[in-house]
Amino acid sequence: MRKTTKLGLLAVLTMSLVLSACSKDQPAAEQNGSKESPNTSKVNSPGKFPIVNDKITLKVFVAGNALVEDFNTNRYTKWLEDKTNIHVDWIVADVKNYKDQLNLTLASGDLPDVIMNMGVSPEQQMIYGDQGVFVSFTDLIEKYGENTKKIFQEMPEVKDAITAPGNKIYSLPYINDCYHCSLDYKMYVFKPWLDKLGLKEPTTTEEFYQMLKAFKEKDPNGNGKPDEIPLVGSTNQKSQIDVWIMNSFIYDDGDKRMFVKNGKIDVAYNKNEWKDGLKFMNRLFKEGLLSKESFTLDKDGLKKIAENPDIAIGGALPAHSPSDITIVEGKSNRWVDYQPIAPVKGPNGFQKTTWLAYDKIRGGNFIMTSANKYPEATMRWADAMYDFEANLYSNFGVQGSSWEWAKQGDVGRDGNPAKYRLLIPFGRVQNESWAQFGLNYRTDKDWYAGQAVLKQPDKEKMYYDVTKKNYEPYKPKINEIVPPLFFAQADAQQLAELDKTINDYVMTMTARFVTGDADIDKEWNDYVSTLDKMNLKKYIEIYQKAYDAKAKK
């Protein structure tokens, strides 16, 4: 059911010996960035632009972005090139299959200079880092990372989260300190239907069931046709149907399905509470309240349902924000009509929401390979992206067209003087920005609260207020959440195979149990037994070992 966000790490294992042989041809000092390259003299000192006087070209492998028309002709690409004198030869991977394409590229040995926005896992960073294929930024940050070091000072947890054993930093951090994003798995309900049917927002799983039943049977859109879809999700990670619902039974982190209890790491998907959650979803499916399209629709398909022309047909849709399912500030006004309800209490009183406590620190999104001939210039190029003005260009577009500096009297969402004005709402397909790709340093205070409130309803303020009211009260404690972890190479290699085998199986069986393709009562014990045979115990032990090592630092 859950579309995996992990890289295919088995490809890493396949190539380990090949990479080991290849890396022996390169000096270790060059592999880990501990010595400057011969191109150092061409790089201007930190703070001085352009970065290089003689233009250079970097080959950058980037995940596709559906909101960006063309990285080559993009106006932020041009702005950054003019500022730095660094040209980019883009290799743009397919939006849906970029992780597979990355694995093939790494296996081929024909490496790009930079891997960007691919979400390379800590396991893969360790394996390729130890082989010398990924280059450590640690020394480069000290010499050229002016903005990066500032981030480390302002958010010390960032450096801790991205530093691998041996004081190696294989990936520069992407920082998005977005409050409403940290409580990201929300359930949006079409409020006009609640009002028409005289329903209150549900507070329990049974009330949620009754709400969906009313959506199906009482013609809330008033057209006399049984065309209402009570509940529908998609394969897009934040719109997967199971996470919000499962948190009424047992904590679901939306990814590994792991949690920490009394200092011990455990998984949710072999517990009786998980089984109860599956049975509830199966009940919804059997009664036609949960659409079977939830397991095949992509993000665009879900948005078509929410934005169905002329008349609403979608009742409840899980999503990160209205922009995932509607056209923000669009003519239909559905972006206001769909409102997120609070997590509902399960039959045993459990009521949580997924808290992405460490999600503001995203690793694996900017990696340099051993093929790069300009490590110092690359470090400065990446570091320049953290600048506040660069963030405005990279996220929104051109000054004067998509955004402008705040005017006298402009007030931000926190009541203090604003820093900038957003002129065009985020979420359109365009060619002015990278649409939140590249590297960012967006703090809640400067970025979100610092945006001028120009009209009501204000999108970000609405997101903040509803998150504070409906989701903040139900987040777990920080010591119940598995933090970012790095693993020793031997453990990482074993974990790679276990992780894929176990999580692929869980994903498959979750879908089968919910849709009734597998009988929960008859096949549950076999399911748990199969997980044990897949060496789930060892899988958890590897995580516990890394967790304990981190706790001792």
Side-chain angles (χ1 to χ4, degrees):
M1 176 178 290
R2 177 178 58 86
K3 184 179 180 182
T4 183
T5 60
K6 302 177 292 297
L7 285 165
L9 294 178
L10 287 180
V12 182
L13 298 176
T14 305
M15 290 305 299
S16 291
L17 294 177
V18 176
L19 294 171
S20 179
C22 292
S23 65
K24 291 177 182 177
D25 295 332
Q26 302 168 5
E30 291 184 17
Q31 291 176 35
N32 62 25
S34 62
K35 287 188 178 181
E36 296 180 348
S37 79
N39 298 284
T40 300
S41 61
K42 299 179 182 179
V43 179
N44 289 321
S45 59
K48 184 178 179 180
F49 291 93
I51 291 173
V52 289
N53 295 326
D54 298 323
K55 184 171 289 190
I56 62 173
T57 296
L58 295 178
K59 184 190 295 184
V60 178
F61 192 33
V62 64
N65 187 328
L67 298 181
V68 177
E69 291 178 1
D70 188 342
F71 278 96
N72 291 290
T73 59
N74 188 274
R75 294 187 70 181
Y76 174 54
T77 299
K78 178 63 176 172
W79 181 85
L80 192 60
E81 179 174 337
D82 290 343
K83 182 180 179 67
T84 64
N85 214 16
I86 295 175
H87 176 75
V88 175
D89 180 8
W90 294 101
I91 305 168
V92 182
D94 182 76
V95 174
K96 296 181 180 179
N97 301 313
Y98 65 88
K99 291 182 182 292
D100 291 336
Q101 290 179 244
L102 174 60
N103 285 330
L104 290 174
T105 297
L106 291 172
S108 73
D110 184 14
L111 299 174
D113 297 314
V114 171
I115 298 167
M116 197 166 78
N117 298 108
M118 295 283 189
V120 180
S121 70
E123 297 96 323
Q124 196 163 20
Q125 289 179 49
M126 283 293 292
I127 292 172
Y128 280 113
D130 285 349
Q131 297 293 346
V133 177
F134 291 169
V135 177
S136 174
F137 286 100
T138 306
D139 294 338
L140 293 168
I141 290 171
E142 284 301 312
K143 296 174 182 177
Y144 300 101
E146 189 175 46
N147 290 322
T148 310
K149 287 187 288 187
K150 180 182 177 183
I151 293 172
F152 290 170
Q153 291 173 350
E154 295 177 353
M155 290 186 180
E157 66 270 26
V158 172
K159 185 175 183 181
D160 179 64
I162 65 172
T163 302
N167 196 34
K168 301 293 181 63
I169 297 175
Y170 295 116
S171 172
L172 296 176
Y174 182 109
I175 310 298
N176 181 21
D177 186 17
C178 165
Y179 171 71
H180 77 84
C181 304
S182 70
L183 297 162
D184 217 9
Y185 288 84
K186 299 178 174 70
M187 181 65 73
Y188 285 80
V189 172
F190 194 63
K191 194 172 185 303
W193 286 6
L194 290 178
D195 296 340
K196 182 174 181 177
L197 298 176
L199 299 174
K200 295 181 179 180
E201 291 185 8
T203 60
T204 66
T205 49
E206 184 60 28
E207 289 177 5
F208 184 69
Y209 163 80
Q210 294 295 340
M211 179 194 74
L212 298 179
K213 193 173 177 65
F215 286 172
K216 178 180 174 62
E217 298 175 352
K218 295 185 177 181
D219 191 29
N221 66 12
N223 68 349
K225 300 177 182 179
D227 56 354
E228 289 85 358
I229 303 174
L231 173 62
V232 59
S234 79
T235 57
N236 183 48
Q237 186 177 12
K238 301 302 169 61
S239 290
Q240 290 154 6
I241 207 71
D242 60 314
V243 182
W244 186 88
I245 293 175
M246 195 59 77
N247 273 307
S248 295
F249 298 87
I250 191 170
Y251 185 65
D252 187 341
D253 65 6
D255 185 21
K256 306 282 189 179
R257 278 76 177 258
M258 283 185 165
F259 57 85
V260 182
K261 185 175 182 180
N262 299 323
K264 299 298 181 182
I265 289 181
D266 204 348
V267 296
Y269 44 74
N270 63 349
K271 305 293 184 293
N272 286 331
E273 294 87 348
W274 186 270
K275 178 182 178 182
D276 292 339
L278 293 174
K279 292 183 73 170
F280 177 74
M281 286 185 276
N282 175 248
R283 176 190 180 192
L284 299 181
F285 187 86
K286 286 193 298 186
E287 296 190 28
L289 306 180
L290 169 58
S291 172
K292 63 181 180 181
E293 289 186 288
S294 301
F295 311 107
T296 57
L297 278 177
D298 60 13
K299 185 176 181 178
D300 291 337
L302 189 62
K303 183 174 286 189
K304 286 180 180 178
I305 290 176
E307 284 285 0
N308 186 66
D310 302 324
I311 194 165
I313 60 172
L317 297 83
H320 151 66
S321 74
S323 63
D324 278 348
I325 55 176
T326 62
I327 301 173
V328 174
E329 299 185 15
K331 293 181 180 180
S332 72
N333 210 43
R334 301 263 176 85
W335 75 285
V336 175
D337 290 333
Y338 280 101
Q339 288 292 319
I341 62 173
V344 293
K345 186 179 294 185
N348 294 321
F350 196 83
Q351 189 176 18
K352 291 287 186 181
T353 189
T354 300
W355 182 28
L356 306 177
Y358 299 97
D359 196 51
K360 68 180 180 181
I361 310 165
R362 301 178 192 174
N365 281 321
F366 194 98
I367 286 173
M368 181 162 53
T369 77
S370 57
N372 194 312
K373 298 178 181 179
Y374 309 103
E376 295 81 17
T378 300
M379 179 67 233
R380 282 214 55 205
W381 184 67
D383 192 72
M385 296 183 200
Y386 290 128
D387 179 74
F388 189 81
E389 183 180 15
N391 283 182
L392 290 170
Y393 271 92
S394 68
N395 286 278
F396 299 138
V398 177
Q399 181 181 0
S401 172
S402 297
W403 66 275
E404 64 184 9
W405 295 114
K407 297 181 179 180
Q408 187 173 3
D410 282 348
V411 177
R413 296 184 181 91
D414 59 358
N416 293 317
K419 298 195 70 171
Y420 69 96
R421 291 175 156 214
L422 181 60
L423 304 178
I424 300 176
F426 178 83
R428 72 197 193 285
V429 179
Q430 45 69 56
N431 209 34
E432 288 194 6
S433 78
W434 290 354
Q436 299 187 355
F437 271 31
L439 288 177
N440 273 213
Y441 180 48
R442 290 179 278 160
T443 64
D444 193 66
K445 180 179 184 300
D446 290 335
W447 186 261
Y448 294 99
Q451 187 182 119
V453 177
L454 302 180
K455 59 182 177 180
Q456 296 291 349
D458 178 82
K459 175 170 67 77
E460 291 293 339
K461 182 169 176 54
M462 183 177 75
Y463 297 170
Y464 180 92
D465 289 345
V466 76
T467 301
K468 192 75 175 176
K469 175 186 175 185
N470 284 351
Y471 288 85
E472 172 81 22
Y474 305 104
K475 71 180 186 181
K477 296 177 181 178
I478 189 67
N479 61 4
E480 296 174 334
I481 298 172
V482 179
L485 299 172
F486 285 92
F487 305 88
Q489 183 174 350
D491 288 337
Q493 290 180 342
Q494 186 172 13
L495 182 64
E497 182 174 359
L498 292 172
D499 186 89
K500 178 171 176 58
T501 301
I502 291 170
N503 284 290
D504 282 357
Y505 179 67
V506 170
M507 180 175 64
T508 298
M509 291 305 298
T510 298
R512 292 188 63 203
F513 283 139
V514 171
T515 60
D517 183 56
D519 187 294
I520 299 174
D521 290 320
K522 293 181 180 179
E523 299 185 45
W524 175 258
N525 289 339
D526 287 341
Y527 162 75
V528 173
S529 176
T530 300
L531 286 171
D532 291 338
K533 292 175 183 176
M534 289 178 172
N535 216 351
L536 177 61
K537 181 179 179 181
K538 182 63 178 179
Y539 179 66
I540 296 173
E541 285 177 355
I542 292 173
Y543 267 92
Q544 188 69 47
K545 178 181 176 182
Y547 180 80
D548 291 341
K550 186 179 184 71
K552 293 177 181 178
K553 285 179 63 177

